Amino acid sequence: MNNVRLGESERMSSSLPPSELPSKETLPHLIRRALSEPREDALVERVNGTWTPMSSARVLERVENVACAIRDAGLGQGDRVALIAHDCIDWVICDFATFFAGCVVVPIYPTQALDHTAFILEHAEAKLLFVDSASALQRLREGNIALPPTVVFESEGADSLDAFERRGADVRRAHPELPGGYYAQLKPEDLAVLIYTSGTTGAPKGVMLSHDNLGFDAQSSLQYGLDELHKHEPVLSVLPFSHIYEHTMIYIYLLAGMRYNICHDPNDLLADMRDTHPTVITAVPRIFDRVLAGIQGQALKHGGLQAKLVPWALRVGREYMTAKTFEGGAPPALALQYAIAKRLVLDKVRKMLGLENINHFLSGSAALHVDVAMTFLAIGVPIMQGYGLTETSPVLTTSTPANNKYGAVGRPIPGCEVKIAEDGEVLARGRNIMMGYYRDPEATAAALAGGWFHTGDIGEVDADGYLRITDRKKEVFKTATGKYVSPARVEAAIKRSMFVAQAMVIGDNRPHPAALVAPNWDLLRVELSLPALTPEELAERPDVIEFMTAEVRKQTSDLASYEQIRRIAVLPREFSVENGELSPSMKIKRRVVEGRYKASIDRAYAVDLHAHSA
């Protein structure tokens, strides 16, 4: 199938007439409408180990109480309210209440680096802060951060959310017209969310999203790509609410009337899936990688026949689905192997994961490797990919259950236009495009030049109108031999190995690319029967370096010769947000990592790793 480069006059857009697009409204009106139908399980979370529902009526009652408390605390329309907490019902209540109070939400990742947290609170001029725990508050204080008045979810003192909410309830009883009077003056074009995206370089930028930006994006995405969501079916939320992807999914799931189960901690994902038996999960590729690594890791630890049978079944399943999806069908021998693998392993894996009822996963935020998608498809779980950025609220394009083309990120949602610039950059416009960057007119003008949002991603559109993202404009590098390399493409290939937790490819002006690799130490210890040494000690062992080098070479052997990895450096630990190597949305800060591991990179290029396998 030939790819089509769209010129300046050509673009992708939905054919839906404007009269059928979502009408403009503020988020309080959307939220009230989404919760208007009485149901006992609008939001559900674990409380003391038991999944505990909260009714739509109770959610609205709590939202109105907190909204009244916010205004009673002296805040006015448009004032900023910061929110630093892990996913929980209280997060949703305070988020919604801020809108109902006529104020602006500033969501901040609880793992955000302290210097960035300090910058955001000051830059956004936050006048109130919600945090989830005393330990989180203590962390902020130890960072010498100037904090506004603070309310703590889990506190039992005067600063507790419970006490704050009770004060708001008193106000609401005395003034029944509130909080409706607070948000009556809001307009759909007013600022609703000020969300900071640090990207991979520089200080965080405040993305200004209006009520209509978010409301339109949620409703248009639901209308186009998620119309098979059904009332009262269980969904499991695992991504941080402070990430724009899951923040918008809140509105989508509530509008669809689903039973909204909230995972407090991604480390509890497998247990939560088994408990809730969801029909839909929103995730990012890293979660899929970890699930597959977990499946294989358990098999390795079990040993015996299982240690060989599970990896074999996953490989056969992946090869079968690849042949069926991309090659017109699988040969009889492979089809027979798949039937055996499905019966002996794959069907059991699906049940073990609690995915008997799953319709599909939704994947976004980063590139999903086709091998991972094919492996999940073999288990019986299709993955639908979409594409967007914080600045686009975030969904620009999405796949649908009926039109799910693997390797692509779907087509534009209704009311959104996408085109490819002459240099290959993906451009977009529509009601979901941000208002601009807060207090940064130069960055705003550059991002919205010519009336189109410049995504910074390189893409192409195939003959069927599906968008494919091929590179990140600023991350592509050129080797000393003149070859251009997309590190994301190579990293995705490397991470197909269950023994790789993270990888970063470098090679600008070098003879060829190399990789920094953080192993999955738990699996590697079992595979190589490693002694009880620290990761720092293990990373220097020749047998570890040799094994990981062979893994990386194997995973990149099907790439172009100039993309293949010959040299690696084994890292003792994964990159993290806390250490400043990842942005809150889990993107690698390449300049930071290259500076921090310069000595390891230099050694990797100085030592010919062919010697290890000789």
Side-chain angles (χ1 to χ4, degrees):
M1 184 174 295
N2 295 324
N3 290 323
V4 178
R5 173 61 56 85
L6 298 185
E8 279 296 305
S9 62
E10 299 172 290
R11 60 181 65 100
M12 301 167 63
S13 62
S14 77
S15 57
L16 202 65
S19 61
E20 295 185 26
L21 296 176
S23 59
K24 292 187 176 183
E25 62 184 334
T26 64
L27 290 176
H29 287 96
L30 182 150
I31 292 164
R32 189 174 291 281
R33 179 162 56 83
L35 294 171
S36 61
E37 181 181 341
R39 56 183 189 275
E40 294 303 311
D41 54 1
L43 299 175
V44 191
E45 68 180 351
R46 286 185 189 271
V47 177
N48 298 322
T50 301
W51 287 95
T52 306
M54 183 174 292
S55 71
S56 55
R58 178 59 178 153
V59 170
L60 275 174
E61 179 185 26
R62 291 195 61 197
V63 166
E64 292 187 344
N65 289 343
V66 175
C68 289
I70 290 172
R71 291 298 287 260
D72 189 58
L75 278 73
Q77 183 173 326
D79 283 341
R80 281 40 163 176
V81 176
L83 185 48
I84 305 176
H86 292 85
D87 289 5
C88 60
I89 288 179
D90 285 343
W91 197 108
V92 179
I93 298 297
C94 294
D95 180 67
F96 288 2
T98 300
F99 302 138
F100 274 57
C103 297
V104 175
V105 172
V106 184
I108 303 175
Y109 289 84
T111 55
Q112 179 76 269
L114 289 175
D115 60 333
H116 279 182
T117 298
F119 173 86
I120 293 169
L121 290 172
E122 185 279 327
H123 191 262
E125 302 168 299
K127 293 189 175 180
L128 182 68
L129 170 64
F130 290 105
V131 298
D132 53 3
S133 65
S135 60
L137 180 58
Q138 182 62 26
R139 175 177 179 264
L140 296 174
R141 287 173 173 163
E142 289 175 353
N144 295 317
I145 297 175
L147 300 177
T150 302
V151 177
V152 184
F153 293 175
E154 298 174 5
S155 171
E156 296 182 358
D159 65 346
S160 71
L161 178 59
D162 184 59
F164 190 73
E165 195 172 334
R166 287 198 304 271
R167 292 196 292 272
D170 291 340
V171 172
R172 192 164 68 93
R173 278 191 294 270
H175 300 280
E177 74 279 7
L178 300 178
Y182 298 145
Y183 62 79
Q185 304 303 314
L186 290 176
K187 297 185 291 293
E189 296 78 17
D190 287 340
L191 178 63
V193 172
L194 180 56
I195 183 168
Y196 283 76
T197 174
S198 59
T200 55
T201 59
K205 290 193 297 243
V207 177
M208 298 188 292
L209 299 176
S210 71
H211 289 263
D212 186 55
N213 285 156
L214 293 158
F216 165 80
D217 197 74
Q219 293 177 88
S220 187
S221 299
L222 176 60
Q223 182 179 18
Y224 173 67
L226 302 171
D227 57 351
E228 292 192 5
L229 299 181
H230 302 297
K231 286 184 178 181
H232 308 299
E233 287 187 348
V235 62
L236 181 61
S237 173
V238 62
L239 299 179
F241 290 149
S242 45
H243 190 298
I244 190 59
Y245 187 18
E246 197 69 19
H247 192 273
T248 298
M249 291 307 300
I250 296 174
Y251 311 128
I252 291 174
Y253 290 140
L254 290 180
L255 284 167
M258 306 189 78
R259 177 185 171 94
Y260 196 157
N261 299 289
I262 298 173
C263 173
H264 288 161
D265 186 336
N267 293 322
D268 298 330
L269 175 60
L270 293 180
D272 287 354
M273 287 194 303
R274 287 192 288 264
D275 282 351
T276 61
H277 303 280
T279 57
V280 179
I281 297 178
T282 308
V284 294
R286 190 176 183 186
I287 289 178
F288 301 126
D289 295 339
R290 285 187 169 182
V291 169
L292 291 181
I295 294 169
Q296 298 183 84
Q298 287 298 316
L300 281 178
K301 290 178 181 178
H302 191 274
L305 181 60
Q306 187 173 326
K308 296 181 179 179
L309 193 58
V310 171
W312 169 82
L314 293 174
R315 176 182 60 78
V316 167
R318 180 179 68 247
E319 292 175 355
Y320 173 81
M321 286 301 173
T322 299
K324 184 178 178 182
T325 304
F326 299 106
E327 299 165 12
L334 181 57
L336 177 60
Q337 289 184 69
Y338 174 68
I340 297 171
K342 189 172 185 296
R343 182 178 179 84
L344 293 181
V345 176
L346 301 179
D347 286 346
K348 295 177 182 177
V349 166
R350 180 174 177 174
K351 185 175 182 180
M352 180 270 292
L353 293 174
L355 298 178
E356 308 98 310
N357 302 324
I358 197 80
N359 294 325
H360 50 256
F361 278 110
L362 302 172
S363 178
S365 184
L368 173 70
H369 200 283
V370 171
D371 281 0
V372 174
M374 292 298 100
T375 305
F376 272 92
L377 190 59
I379 297 171
V381 183
I383 300 177
M384 298 193 331
Q385 259 196 289
Y387 167 70
L389 300 91
T390 302
E391 291 88 340
T392 63
S393 303
V395 183
L396 283 174
T397 67
T398 186
S399 304
T400 70
N403 297 286
N404 190 16
K405 193 169 189 178
Y406 288 100
V409 292
R411 294 166 169 159
I413 61 174
C416 180
E417 296 178 85
V418 173
K419 73 174 181 178
I420 310 298
E422 291 300 322
D423 64 354
E425 184 175 8
V426 179
L427 311 181
R429 69 181 179 188
R431 281 166 52 190
N432 54 341
I433 304 302
M434 67 170 181
M435 303 165 67
Y437 294 113
Y438 183 56
R439 296 168 61 182
D440 197 340
E442 290 185 4
T444 298
L448 301 177
W452 292 82
F453 173 63
H454 294 243
T455 66
D457 289 315
I458 302 297
E460 58 192 20
V461 180
D462 67 25
D464 295 324
Y466 288 85
L467 178 65
R468 296 175 184 272
I469 303 300
T470 57
D471 295 308
R472 183 68 184 161
K473 191 173 181 179
K474 295 181 180 179
E475 292 180 359
V476 175
F477 61 78
K478 186 167 69 171
T479 64
T481 61
K483 297 292 188 180
Y484 286 93
V485 175
S486 167
R489 166 180 159 83
V490 184
E491 287 158 5
I494 293 172
K495 288 187 288 186
R496 288 181 289 188
S497 169
M498 66 177 173
F499 297 105
V500 175
Q502 287 178 331
M504 190 187 101
V505 171
I506 66 294
D508 189 34
N509 290 318
R510 303 273 193 171
H512 47 72
L516 300 175
V517 178
N520 185 329
W521 287 113
D522 288 342
L523 299 189
L524 201 59
R525 288 178 188 275
V526 174
E527 178 70 13
L528 299 183
S529 300
L530 294 173
L533 301 174
T534 67
E536 286 75 15
E537 294 169 317
L538 293 175
E540 300 293 331
R541 285 175 61 96
D543 56 342
V544 169
I545 297 173
E546 181 178 354
F547 180 86
M548 293 306 300
T549 300
E551 275 294 301
V552 170
R553 287 179 179 168
K554 180 173 67 175
Q555 299 301 334
T556 61
S557 63
D558 58 345
L559 301 181
S561 59
Y562 60 85
E563 296 175 304
Q564 294 175 12
I565 302 297
R566 299 183 181 89
R567 297 179 170 96
I568 72 166
V570 177
L571 305 183
R573 61 171 179 82
E574 296 183 37
F575 307 132
S576 69
V577 176
E578 293 85 347
N579 290 322
E581 299 146 339
L582 297 178
S583 73
S585 56
M586 308 308 291
K587 294 181 176 63
I588 298 174
K589 294 186 175 182
R590 295 180 184 275
R591 291 182 186 175
V592 171
V593 172
E594 286 190 36
R596 187 161 295 171
Y597 291 102
K598 183 179 184 301
S600 297
I601 293 171
D602 290 342
R603 283 198 302 271
Y605 276 103
V607 178
D608 187 354
L609 290 181
H610 282 291
H612 286 292
S613 56

